[in-house]
Amino acid sequence: MTTGVWLIGARGSVAVTSMVGATALRAGLAEPLGCVTELPELAGPALPGLAELAFGGHDISDITLEKKVENLVAAGVLPARPAAAVADQLAGLQRELRPVPSAETQLEVARLIAQDIDDFRRRRGLERVVVVNVSSTEPIFPAGPEHETLAALETALATGGQVLPPSSLYAYAAFTAGCSYVDFTPSTGARLPALRELADREGLPYAGHDGKTGETLVKSVLAPMFAMRHLRVRTWSGTNLLGGGDGANLADPAANAAKATSKQRVLAETLGYQPQGTSHIEYVDDIGDFKTAWDLITFSGFLGTQMRMEFSWHGCDSALAAPLVLDLARLTAAAHAAGRGGALTDLAFFFKDPIGEVPHALAEQWAALVGFVRGLHAPA
Amino acid sequence: MTTGVWLIGARGSVAVTSMVGATALRAGLAEPLGCVTELPELAGPALPGLAELAFGGHDISDITLEKKVENLVAAGVLPARPAAAVADQLAGLQRELRPVPSAETQLEVARLIAQDIDDFRRRRGLERVVVVNVSSTEPIFPAGPEHETLAALETALATGGQVLPPSSLYAYAAFTAGCSYVDFTPSTGARLPALRELADREGLPYAGHDGKTGETLVKSVLAPMFAMRHLRVRTWSGTNLLGGGDGANLADPAANAAKATSKQRVLAETLGYQPQGTSHIEYVDDIGDFKTAWDLITFSGFLGTQMRMEFSWHGCDSALAAPLVLDLARLTAAAHAAGRGGALTDLAFFFKDPIGEVPHALAEQWAALVGFVRGLHAPA
Amino acid sequence: MTTGVWLIGARGSVAVTSMVGATALRAGLAEPLGCVTELPELAGPALPGLAELAFGGHDISDITLEKKVENLVAAGVLPARPAAAVADQLAGLQRELRPVPSAETQLEVARLIAQDIDDFRRRRGLERVVVVNVSSTEPIFPAGPEHETLAALETALATGGQVLPPSSLYAYAAFTAGCSYVDFTPSTGARLPALRELADREGLPYAGHDGKTGETLVKSVLAPMFAMRHLRVRTWSGTNLLGGGDGANLADPAANAAKATSKQRVLAETLGYQPQGTSHIEYVDDIGDFKTAWDLITFSGFLGTQMRMEFSWHGCDSALAAPLVLDLARLTAAAHAAGRGGALTDLAFFFKDPIGEVPHALAEQWAALVGFVRGLHAPA
Amino acid sequence: MTTGVWLIGARGSVAVTSMVGATALRAGLAEPLGCVTELPELAGPALPGLAELAFGGHDISDITLEKKVENLVAAGVLPARPAAAVADQLAGLQRELRPVPSAETQLEVARLIAQDIDDFRRRRGLERVVVVNVSSTEPIFPAGPEHETLAALETALATGGQVLPPSSLYAYAAFTAGCSYVDFTPSTGARLPALRELADREGLPYAGHDGKTGETLVKSVLAPMFAMRHLRVRTWSGTNLLGGGDGANLADPAANAAKATSKQRVLAETLGYQPQGTSHIEYVDDIGDFKTAWDLITFSGFLGTQMRMEFSWHGCDSALAAPLVLDLARLTAAAHAAGRGGALTDLAFFFKDPIGEVPHALAEQWAALVGFVRGLHAPA
Ligand SMILES: NC(=O)c1ccc[n+]([C@@H]2O[C@H](COP(=O)([O-])OP(=O)(O)OC[C@H]3O[C@@H](n4cnc5c(N)ncnc54)[C@H](O)[C@@H]3O)[C@@H](O)[C@H]2O)c1
Ligand SMILES: NC(=O)c1ccc[n+]([C@@H]2O[C@H](COP(=O)([O-])OP(=O)(O)OC[C@H]3O[C@@H](n4cnc5c(N)ncnc54)[C@H](O)[C@@H]3O)[C@@H](O)[C@H]2O)c1
Ligand SMILES: NC(=O)c1ccc[n+]([C@@H]2O[C@H](COP(=O)([O-])OP(=O)(O)OC[C@H]3O[C@@H](n4cnc5c(N)ncnc54)[C@H](O)[C@@H]3O)[C@@H](O)[C@H]2O)c1
Ligand SMILES: NC(=O)c1ccc[n+]([C@@H]2O[C@H](COP(=O)([O-])OP(=O)(O)OC[C@H]3O[C@@H](n4cnc5c(N)ncnc54)[C@H](O)[C@@H]3O)[C@@H](O)[C@H]2O)c1
Ligand code: NA
Ligand code: NA
């Protein structure tokens, strides 16, 4: 049972770390740290093995995987040893990467994207393919009446013009190709009614949005702690310094806006009110992939006594994201195999901005995830 | 239904903050922040109201409550306004405080302690009394054969000599007086087989040990986060700077040892292994009750990538502890009223070093607590 | 020899803390902590005594000093005890405060401002008056040809329209009234050629800009440390969270721009190059006057090894600024008395954005200050 | 003019980083970051060039340089590229390393040590040799009457028994061999009257003690900042987490004591009083050479307002120390060449626990250093 993972943004840091990492793990070169689906609570027969994943994808960049791996090693994201050990497999991985097709209308582009994915499936004899969006974060996209129904959408797509942002066009193409779809970014992706109609019609699962890897992960356990202790959070103010590919892109205020919104949602949802403060993102080239986040939290306790907490987090963004990409691919493929269509709200554990009315406290998300996976493993 | 709260260490910071705070809350002078039992998930008919608690206690010190409150206001622990508003009730509170009795044998001391508590119950017409130990942390106490059975213990107590440390003698006295017992300190308290035998025989509930108010609270949500994400914690090293009454006492290496052990247990229990590093406690008079804890956590992720997190916590120890003392008194009284005897393991949420084989992750402790309280509220 | 201190923004936090503080110090209610001119290296006969300062000023607000002091006590800026002890002197201080005059032209406004100051001098029998600008930070002001010469300026001022920003109009008025002028803010103040011409003609000293009280103070010792050790600073990125009066004002991006520029200058000047990173200011109402700054510094050492430092600073802005206002008033008055006119570049120690080609390393600024003050104390 | 650098502890982290680094710098493989003597303020003709240093030394360990370099690269102390580039020169370096001689009496051991150094000088045709102690920190050593005069010392040394700790025996041997001596450790070294008598008699310079590379460096600029601003430091409490060779050794409380004393001296000396708090050192194997120090500073300002600062420092100890070892060797050799004997108190800039009544503020130490070096460069 081989499962395909088709990565949008396949030459980016997260995608390449995922592919190289899966290759190194398959070769037994490292423990599967960071892979949630390798924990005893989640492992089991329903999930495709790490060794059974086949990778391909689209990217607008033509940087070679050799060069990208070299950069990731220099930046300390990929350790030198496993990277060297898989060097001879990079050419094979690279053969499965495709440039983004272009055409007169977005409908035609979507058809070509779907065809690339379908070719991959046939060529590699895959049972199913999960499309995972790990491409650059897009500016916030305004939805209109043409995104309300599938019929309206397909009419619009056929006329030319930019009807869908890239993330959503990939989602459309994925669904028409019979694939499930995971949005690891804060971009629009499958979030439009017309696309959900399509996924539902086809019985295809989808998950998102925006992988939860750093500051928000910490928030998702600290905010519930304050709530459970009846401590009133007054200020929660965060600064995120990051470089790397996505950092440069997030320096654009439009893309930044989408991300900053994702990052604060957890507070209002777990505290029941919105404390003061914002989540500030700043691009610092020198920091590279080793993001530094600093958060200040001020809170009131018994009789109004003022207290405070600070944390700083020095995480390697791609090293935190890559194993989650593998987890999400395995879980979504298993859901697809089990006939689960529609929004996979039980995967909220993985996302900053999860789909649906779901808990935002990490422990509750974990409980939902464990229940979901047990359901998959259980004999029908 | 008035409930008595008998505080061991009744002139200490935690005790006085609890009594003054309850008085201020009763007068509507502040919101019940920090009081867990006031959260909607826990509130209900089975718990005695905050306004229905009557206070008394023992202390070896004879500092007046007026003086102690003055000190706590100067130190920023008690806000000036509510403290001033309850000034005229301090004399009434003080009338219920008793010096620690002395006698030839510990058996006789225990009898006198029990009598003080019993007098309080009668005088105030209380339905039941919870004894809460908030006195100074004791050095680690070596248990012997005389602590194995109640019979052996009572024989030894009658002979003179220090058979029990104070915390355990109070527990013994509490149980003989028909009271439940809460150990908010890391001291031995009710942790001896002979005392458990007594509590079981009398059908009396008890809870402990060591209120979880700062660094350990944070650990109890961060350590599970690392575990759920399959991140390997390599080092967890903490420094606690604190002054105040208990700080001076903890500067004594013997008392310190008991506390430091309590504080690291959560890591091994939630991670499944013991990372490197220790929890270091240092007395700094100037810091007073506003403890500063700093923790460094280093961890490995995908392919072994090294990452780190730091936090610093500036909490007011007594302001964090006092509402939990009120919570514990209410919960233990309700358990007593409901006929629950023995160790209240479902109160692990409140303790650094909880009794029993219980979860150490805060979210799981919360779930247990909610279940327990629902059981109390449910009509029989 | 009584010296007048005329405060622009006299009902603001810094001004009121300065006036109340000087009053409390005069009454012996506190040690003169924070007052640099009270250090043995600087104290001496040339400086007017703290007890010899008389206060007055302008403000556009009409908040009473009683109310303002109450707010500052509630915010923890002014300790309750000295504030209470000087309560009966607030009315006297308040009598010397004036609303900002208005008129047809700025020339006429300046004349009325000068007249208010002159009235104060006569009424109180003062030898001289120092005007200190501690009013709200202004947006960056574009200079034009009318600011090049005094003649051009006075022609323009007579015609109506906003020729000068308030800070500069106060400087103009101060100089025409024969007063020295200190700019404690990043606003334009005396920074225009026409105003310097006027000060030079009148032989009046002036100093500025922007009191150095927190993050920049720390930078002024850490940046030289890296330079002296030949360590290459790669990133220096700061976040400043602040509330209070000035915080709200700095939330305005225009005012913010002036401040952020002031704050980074020290790096380029002491390192000889500009590291990556910015100084970010964010308004958080709840933080009030207790600013929190967090800075991340990454640097390279021997053979390129990457290292890092972080600091967080929790300073009370007004408590840090107020004693410097008193220092600057004393020093500038002494310079005036000694016949020193023009820019007091030896006062760079006090400023984020000092006038002239001066050292930015704190230790060098200190040496210059000590030399300058010794010169004042030395018998002619 | 080739200068010898004889390293005591020559197979340790600092020593090997120094030797490999000098070799890499000579080959132009890196900028001389961290080397203070390469700054324009200090560079000049009197100092031997980095390329003119020849290395040798003693060590009790027999780890090969190849293995040690491999360890330092794995630990991130030495970057892989320069380490690889100098691999073929390690064998040559290693040929100059000697085991520590043993003999019946310490006098005889000293003679053999001196002979090893002398052989090195002849074999390599060196003008002079600087002996630098970078061996493990010793426990505090109690001085006695036999250390008072050279005559008494030499009598005692001849009798057998441990009269001198190793660091002092090396100093004795260095001086008898006509070499200058630098103590980069907190050990006793040349600190005994008898040894100073010897150095003075021979006209040999010496410097020490304990290289200032991390927390103490930061203290030496921050403490003066508080002093210059008349801010009263109340608490200064530090935690140092470190692994690596020296870390393991410092875990021994005796060695630790020597270091902790060195580290606090700067506070009392620059503030004029001793604030509360200690400097705590903890061994954490996983941290390795990348020490993490965290310091909390609480201070009082105007009218007693309480404020605080925290910093954390993540420095690579050996990468900070190695360039200073090169600096000290060059400076001491130049002083020797210029006929300067006795304690080089102007090198206080480099040390935690400098010799003599010298300033502890970094900026003043820098000024002294610049003056000293100018004197060396100036034509006689
Ligand atoms: N790393 C994390 O921790 C993390 C967490 C949450 C979300 N994310 C999101 O994951 C995404 C990838 O992050 P990254 O660090 O790998 O970024 P990256 O810049 O290294 O990679 C993005 C890749 O997407 C490609 N791309 C851009 N537009 C495309 C298009 N229209 N079609 C196909 N490819 C396109 C780029 O060429 C690039 O190779 C970002 O959106 C980021 O916000 C990352
Ligand atoms: N404050 C917190 O956050 C917190 C958290 C967990 C545990 N605790 C524990 O709570 C206890 C109280 O802390 P605190 O800050 O109030 O300390 P404290 O020193 O202010 O008060 C302790 C009181 O106990 C009294 N006492 C000592 N020995 C006694 C005895 N044998 N009998 C009766 N009274 C005695 C002392 O006189 C003192 O008044 C400590 O053991 C502490 O470790 C506190
Ligand atoms: N506190 C510090 O540490 C610090 C450091 C450097 C600079 N400063 C500067 O000092 C100034 C004062 O700070 P603050 O915290 O007292 O602010 P604040 O807002 O409390 O006070 C400013 C006062 O200026 C008054 N004002 C505004 N416009 C005026 C005008 N045209 N004429 C007369 N009065 C006017 C306001 O009404 C207010 O009372 C700010 O510009 C700030 O940037 C403060
Ligand atoms: N790295 C820094 O930042 C720094 C700063 C100040 C002082 N120091 C001091 O420098 C010294 C070296 O530090 P390191 O990190 O290289 O330690 P290390 O443990 O890596 O090296 C010490 C070496 O000394 C050798 N040694 C021990 N006893 C000896 C003896 N009697 N004769 C000869 N050799 C002996 C050991 O075998 C070892 O090779 C320590 O004393 C340390 O305290 C280091
Ligand atoms: Na901090
Ligand atoms: Na930090």
Side-chain angles (χ1 to χ4, degrees), chain A residues 247-259:
Chain A
N249 176 51
L250 288 174
D252 170 13
N256 196 313
K259 198 85 172 190

Side-chain angles (χ1 to χ4, degrees), chain C residues 339-351:
Chain C
R340 313 271 182 108
L344 299 178
T345 53
D346 286 328
L347 302 189
F349 179 80
F350 294 97
F351 296 112

Side-chain angles (χ1 to χ4, degrees), chain A residues 234-235 237-239 241 276-278 280 282 284-287 290 292-294 296 298 306 308 310 312 314, chain C residues 234-235 237-239 241 276-280 282 284-287 290 292-294 296 298 306 308 310 312 314:
Chain A
R234 298 171 62 89
T235 301
S237 196
T239 293
L241 306 177
Q276 292 189 29
T278 61
H280 166 69
E282 187 180 327
V284 184
D285 181 56
D286 175 58
I287 299 282
F290 271 86
T292 293
W294 172 79
L296 174 71
T298 66
Q306 300 297 309
R308 66 199 300 154
E310 287 174 54
S312 44
H314 309 289
Chain C
R234 299 170 61 89
T235 301
S237 196
T239 293
L241 306 177
Q276 292 190 29
T278 62
S279 183
H280 166 69
E282 187 180 326
V284 184
D285 180 58
D286 175 59
I287 298 281
F290 272 85
T292 293
W294 172 78
L296 174 71
T298 65
Q306 300 296 310
R308 64 199 301 154
E310 286 174 54
S312 45
H314 309 289

Side-chain angles (χ1 to χ4, degrees), chain B residues 195-211:
Chain B
L195 296 175
R196 303 198 162 176
E197 185 185 334
L198 173 58
D200 287 346
R201 193 187 72 190
E202 303 294 322
L204 291 167
Y206 55 89
H209 302 281
D210 205 4

Side-chain angles (χ1 to χ4, degrees), chain A residues 34-113:
Chain A
C35 294
V36 172
T37 47
E38 293 291 310
L39 287 169
E41 293 91 334
L42 298 184
L47 301 181
L50 274 173
E52 293 160 6
L53 302 178
F55 295 92
H58 283 114
D59 201 302
I60 54 171
S61 159
D62 55 9
I63 187 173
T64 64
L65 289 188
E66 283 73 14
K67 182 67 195 155
K68 184 75 190 182
V69 166
E70 189 189 316
N71 293 349
L72 290 170
V73 169
V77 175
L78 281 179
R81 221 165 287 202
V86 304
D88 58 347
Q89 300 181 49
L90 295 181
L93 285 167
Q94 187 152 279
R95 265 194 303 278
E96 299 293 7
L97 306 190
R98 293 289 170 273
V100 181
S102 62
E104 291 288 289
T105 66
Q106 282 198 314
L107 194 62
E108 181 59 12
V109 175
R111 211 188 47 75
L112 294 169
I113 290 171

Side-chain angles (χ1 to χ4, degrees), chain A residues 294 310, chain B residues 294 310-312 314, chain C residues 294 310-312 314, chain D residues 294 310:
Chain A
W294 172 79
E310 287 174 54
Chain B
W294 172 78
E310 285 173 54
F311 67 84
S312 45
H314 309 288
Chain C
W294 172 78
E310 286 174 54
F311 68 84
S312 45
H314 309 289
Chain D
W294 172 78
E310 286 174 54

Side-chain angles (χ1 to χ4, degrees), chain B residues 16-95:
Chain B
V16 174
T17 306
S18 303
M19 292 188 287
V20 168
T23 309
L25 292 179
R26 188 180 311 163
L29 295 167
E31 274 182 282
L33 288 183
C35 296
V36 172
T37 48
E38 292 291 310
L39 287 170
E41 293 91 334
L42 298 185
L47 301 180
L50 273 173
E52 292 161 6
L53 302 179
F55 295 93
H58 283 114
D59 203 301
I60 54 171
S61 159
D62 55 8
I63 187 173
T64 65
L65 289 188
E66 284 72 16
K67 181 67 196 156
K68 183 76 190 182
V69 166
E70 189 188 315
N71 294 349
L72 291 169
V73 169
V77 176
L78 282 179
R81 222 166 285 204
V86 305
D88 58 348
Q89 298 181 51
L90 295 181
L93 284 167
Q94 187 151 279
R95 264 194 304 278

